[in-house]
Amino acid sequence: MPSDSRGRRRVPLVDLGAQRRRLDGGIDRAIRRVLEHGRFVLGPEVGELEERLGQLSGAGHVVTCASGSDAILLVLLAWGAGPGDAVFVPTFTFAATAEMVALVGATPFFVDVSAEDFNMAAASLSEAVEVAADSGLRPRGVVPVDLFGQPAAYEAIEPLAAENGLWVLGDAAQSFGARFGERRVGTFGQATATSFFPSKPLGCYGDGGAVFTDDPELAEVLRSLREHGRGPTRHDYVRVGINGRLDTIQAAVLLEKLSVFGEEVEARQRVAERYASGLSALVGVPRTRAGATSVWAQYTVQAEQRDRVRAVLEAEGVSSAVYYPVPLHLQPAYSHAPRAPGGLAVSESLAARVLSLPIHPYLSEGDQDRVLSAVALAVR
Ligand SMILES: *Cc1c(COP(=O)(O)O)cnc(C)c1O
């Protein structure tokens, strides 16, 4: 176990080992069962997982796939997004959100976020939609991101999208398990993409993802696309697809993890509450919007002199990370993409101030206290 200069154990950002110990051999046994039945691709656990995810989210159809990126890509392929199409995405997000749009040949159109919840600002989206047509693009859809675990403002984005004939694909890579009022993640927009990357709130032991939708035809097309565009019979290819299936072993891992997922979400919430009371006088603490819950994929504070704070945490043996230091419109790969006319100033200022602290369901109160004292020391 790595330790700091005073020989203390480091406080890690996430602790997957603690989760595995809690599941007490369950995951190892689940993997072993797959090794024994040998149906490694689209084995029985995959269908079982899709059913469970449907029950948990309330979505009518769940199609698992090879990653969160593929989940976004598959939906864009299914809806035929391509050259000449503008797809509105926040600039303050992980690269994959805009990357999948660019990969299908469509244009990612950058929108600013709100400093309150880090998520797409409806006012910026509205301005962007207004000018997109002037630049010769056809506004097609919007991909709000549920950053750090909290659903975006779908209640404002959905009507705006409907008025302008845009589809809504939620990037819920960080938010599976969260809700807004009675609505659960998986039921916002026409489709929702999530990721099971190991460090996400619901993660497997490799790459994985899923799409949630109430549209049976979309679900059917997604099942075809994730298997090379296969038709109803074995050697029948009716569209151009990808190899985008979730491995059976990963489905088996996820089924085991779902047995404790609800409790884990509650445990994350308790850490977030304890952090909020200990940190609100020291740094900008994240807030959930009225009616929304977060699954706290990250606990992201805002601090002046962020890099100095980070260095103090490091010396105190407290891990931290910066999600995201550079908004996408300032990245070389995306610097030519169009953007909302009002600018992307909130995203730029957040990128300079944000700092994500350790959060996971097995973070002891002792370790939480170390995080709190390290932050206090850093900003004093
Ligand atoms: C992790 C993530 C993705 C991509 O998921 P992968 O499973 O890593 O492909 C997409 N969008 C956001 C916001 C993410 O955090």
Side-chain angles (χ1 to χ4, degrees), residues 67-69 93-94 96-97 145 171 173-174 195 197 200 208 324:
S67 68
S69 303
T93 178
F94 181 58
T97 315
V145 177
D171 179 345
Q174 302 183 7
S195 164
F197 185 80
K200 308 280 167 150
Y324 297 90

Side-chain angles (χ1 to χ4, degrees), residues 130-143:
E130 253 172 59
V131 302
D134 301 339
S135 48
L137 294 165
R138 194 166 15 138
R140 276 296 300 281
V142 47
V143 187

Side-chain angles (χ1 to χ4, degrees), residues 331-343:
Q331 296 281 1
Y334 303 102
S335 58
H336 301 293
R339 54 193 70 174

Side-chain angles (χ1 to χ4, degrees), residues 130-203:
E130 253 172 59
V131 302
D134 301 339
S135 48
L137 294 165
R138 194 166 15 138
R140 276 296 300 281
V142 47
V143 187
V145 177
D146 304 347
L147 207 68
F148 306 145
Q150 174 174 205
Y154 292 93
E155 74 283 4
I157 293 168
E158 283 176 331
L160 224 154
E163 270 166 43
N164 291 281
L166 309 175
W167 43 251
V168 176
L169 163 60
D171 179 345
Q174 302 183 7
S175 66
F176 182 72
R179 54 173 73 219
F180 181 74
E182 293 297 298
R183 290 176 77 185
R184 287 169 277 175
V185 164
T187 63
F188 298 104
Q190 282 79 53
T192 300
T194 199
S195 164
F196 304 126
F197 185 80
S199 60
K200 308 280 167 150
L202 178 62

